[in-house]
Amino acid sequence: MSVVVANPSASEDYFRFFGLEQRFNIDLATLDQAYLAIQKEVHPDRHARGSDTEQRLAMQMATLANTAFQTLKNPIQRGLYLCQLHGVDAHLETNTAMPAAFLMKQMDWRENLEDQDEDLGALEALAQEVDQSKQDTLAEITQAIDGAKNYDRAAELLRGLLFIDKFALELDDAISVLV
């Protein structure tokens, strides 16, 4: 296996920084290996005897590696980053418009959570439904980005995935209270 060495000129593209293809569906194990190889190369201890410039560059590369790794490891952040690379801003702060069917599903989930907050079995069934919805949305995002190169659609799906993830956390909290 080849060792990936940090490429400072690739800092404007996190995928290239790690030697990965610009895709939503990436191999996380390959990302982990590339990250660890870069961290080993730029670790400040390796440059402790270097000049101030070498130490500063190593620190900058380590920081960049951390930022790039966290962005690419998280599916939502990775998707938003890919959209951004292709000129599409998801406008997460201002654009909360969602399809009516998605909003109805969200309302249904919330009602179920409120009505069945004491019923562990019902909450676990709801958690499975929410997880399936998340998996389906991730598959749609993969198709929108890697297949159709439709970054506007991907941004819309990513906004929905944020809602799903937020609800899943609330649901996990409700389940943990009962366990």
Side-chain angles (χ1 to χ4, degrees):
M1 182 175 128
S2 64
V3 174
V4 176
V5 177
N7 178 357
S9 66
S11 62
E12 71 279 356
D13 180 342
Y14 294 166
F15 292 93
R16 210 166 77 210
F17 182 76
F18 288 120
L20 300 171
E21 187 181 342
Q22 255 188 35
R23 299 179 50 81
F24 181 73
N25 189 15
I26 61 173
D27 181 358
L28 293 176
T30 301
L31 173 64
D32 285 343
Q33 289 171 346
Y35 171 71
L36 292 173
I38 289 171
Q39 283 296 55
K40 185 177 175 186
E41 289 296 315
V42 300
H43 195 278
D45 290 349
R46 282 194 66 161
H47 301 276
R49 293 196 174 101
S51 69
D52 286 348
T53 303
E54 290 170 334
Q55 289 178 19
R56 189 170 50 255
L57 180 60
M59 183 59 75
Q60 288 170 346
M61 293 305 291
T63 301
L64 174 60
N66 286 333
T67 301
F69 179 72
Q70 293 305 321
T71 299
L72 297 186
K73 188 172 175 130
N74 179 293
I76 293 174
Q77 294 305 315
R78 181 171 60 247
L80 292 171
Y81 181 70
L82 278 161
C83 288
Q84 177 189 344
L85 286 175
H86 291 89
V88 174
D89 183 346
H91 300 287
L92 296 179
E93 304 80 26
T94 57
N95 187 349
T96 57
M98 299 304 294
F102 181 80
L103 293 175
M104 293 302 291
K105 185 190 320 181
Q106 287 281 309
M107 287 173 42
D108 188 41
W109 287 349
R110 293 214 172 277
E111 285 178 18
N112 284 341
L113 177 58
E114 290 172 16
D115 294 346
Q116 301 171 344
D117 64 343
E118 300 293 323
D119 183 343
L120 182 60
L123 292 182
E124 287 175 339
L126 180 58
Q128 286 181 333
E129 180 184 333
V130 170
D131 185 61
Q132 185 60 55
S133 182
K134 178 178 181 171
Q135 297 312 313
D136 293 346
T137 303
L138 285 167
E140 284 187 71
I141 293 167
T142 300
Q143 172 53 34
I145 292 175
D146 295 347
K149 308 291 186 218
N150 185 343
Y151 299 98
D152 290 315
R153 174 71 177 136
E156 177 184 303
L157 290 164
L158 287 159
R159 285 193 303 272
L161 188 55
L162 275 171
F163 280 101
I164 293 169
D165 270 1
K166 184 176 184 234
F167 181 78
L169 288 173
E170 292 174 32
L171 184 55
D172 285 348
D173 289 347
I175 289 171
S176 67
V177 166
L178 298 178
V179 181

